[in-house]
Amino acid sequence: MKKMVVGNWKLHNSVLESTVLIEKLKKELAKTKKTEIVICPSFIDIYPASKQLENTNLTLGAQNMFFEVEGAYTGEVSPHALSHFVKYVIVGHSERRRYFSETDKMVARKAEAAFANDLIPIICVGETLHENRDGLSKVVVMNQVEAALSHLTSEEVAQAVIAYEPVWAIGTGETCKPEDAAKMITNIRNLVKAIYGEKSAESLRILYGGSVNSETIAPFAKTDKIDGYLVGSASVDHKDFSEIVKIVESNSKDVATHRAQVKKKVMK
Ligand code: PGA
């Protein structure tokens, strides 16, 4: 299992701008081997991006989708339609929860619909600034994780990706402390282990997101507990994004090998 770097382009880039950015990323990241790179452009860029990314080491994801496959849902995008072009789909991003009133229940239905349509959900969770200040981070995040995974089987949980993104760290330039991110990721893994078993907990990938860029990433990249990064604003800058991938790549042990080593130590 490789470390992951996911670029969430949000509402940026016309089709032309997206085409140019992808060409630059293809060139700069052609030699990446140990890191899974996923880019998530807006819906309108997805079809041309899928053509551009054929036979490359870059994988495509979407930023959102609906939980129904078809019907009278004006303006929504079907998981089935998406599945022809992307492998991953971000669900429950804090901007979706905040500006589009997505609830934990909707996030759970989206995660379920993703697997039903051969997509892998990248499920976002994270506490707000108020919740953090009130000491509620762990409770909030655990509740979000439990709800989001509630319709999935252990096998599906094993394949899923969770992104821990403290809401107060998104787009603010202020990251969470790497040790706090590592602690929360361990809490998430322990919760998954308690509900779905060790195999699912060990296979599930858990990322950190929130103001990750080529300058803030160094202390995170040294922590083995973090399986990768969900990158927002820095992902639309080809130099910054490529540099992030290179830093992750140079610090990266294979995630599975690392977990096996940790397990051996624990067993001794
Ligand atoms: P940011 O966004 O890197 O701009 O903080 C992260 C995200 O929204 O996933």
Side-chain angles (χ1 to χ4, degrees), residues 26-207:
K26 269 165 55 175
K27 242 186 238 154
E28 290 188 31
L29 297 171
K31 291 201 179 109
T32 311
K33 287 206 179 81
K34 289 187 279 183
T35 312
E36 182 172 9
I37 309 160
V38 182
I39 54 168
C40 304
S42 61
F43 286 127
I44 200 161
D45 299 335
I46 281 179
Y47 177 71
S50 73
K51 297 283 151 211
Q52 262 182 297
L53 294 183
E54 274 171 10
N55 305 316
T56 70
N57 58 347
L58 304 180
T59 306
L60 203 52
Q63 297 172 20
N64 179 36
M65 59 164 211
F66 195 42
F67 44 76
E68 296 290 353
V69 162
E70 61 179 0
Y73 302 106
T74 303
E76 285 298 338
V77 172
S78 159
H80 173 68
L82 268 182
S83 68
H84 297 289
F85 306 107
V86 309
K87 177 173 177 187
Y88 292 97
V89 58
I90 299 173
V91 299
H93 190 280
S94 67
E95 285 150 17
R96 299 292 318 168
R97 294 178 192 254
R98 181 169 170 204
Y99 302 123
F100 303 95
S101 310
E102 281 194 13
T103 62
D104 281 341
K105 279 193 178 145
M106 290 160 80
V107 177
R109 290 189 70 185
K110 288 186 178 196
E112 182 185 18
F115 279 114
N117 290 280
D118 290 327
L119 296 165
I120 297 177
I122 299 172
I123 302 162
C124 300
V125 295
E127 81 284 358
T128 63
L129 186 58
H130 281 300
E131 290 162 344
N132 183 279
R133 284 193 180 147
D134 290 346
L136 296 171
S137 306
K138 186 175 170 190
V139 176
V140 168
V141 172
M142 295 305 115
N143 281 338
Q144 288 175 341
V145 170
E146 194 171 345
L149 303 181
S150 61
H151 297 183
L152 306 184
T153 64
S154 310
E155 289 70 30
E156 288 169 341
V157 170
Q159 291 175 60
V161 181
I162 290 182
Y164 169 55
E165 298 203 294
V167 178
W168 50 269
I170 296 177
T172 57
E174 194 187 337
T175 62
C176 157
K177 284 193 196 135
E179 58 271 29
D180 290 344
K183 217 190 263 173
M184 189 62 86
I185 286 174
T186 303
N187 289 331
I188 296 172
R189 211 176 288 288
N190 287 340
L191 176 74
V192 171
K193 186 174 165 190
I195 305 176
Y196 297 94
E198 189 169 4
K199 210 169 148 201
S200 303
E202 291 298 323
S203 309
L204 170 84
R205 282 171 292 176
I206 311 179
L207 319 180

Side-chain angles (χ1 to χ4, degrees), residues 8 10 93 95 165 169-172 209-212 230-234:
N8 172 12
K10 307 194 181 188
H93 190 280
E95 285 150 17
E165 298 203 294
I170 296 177
T172 57
S211 294
V212 173
L230 179 50
V231 184
S233 50

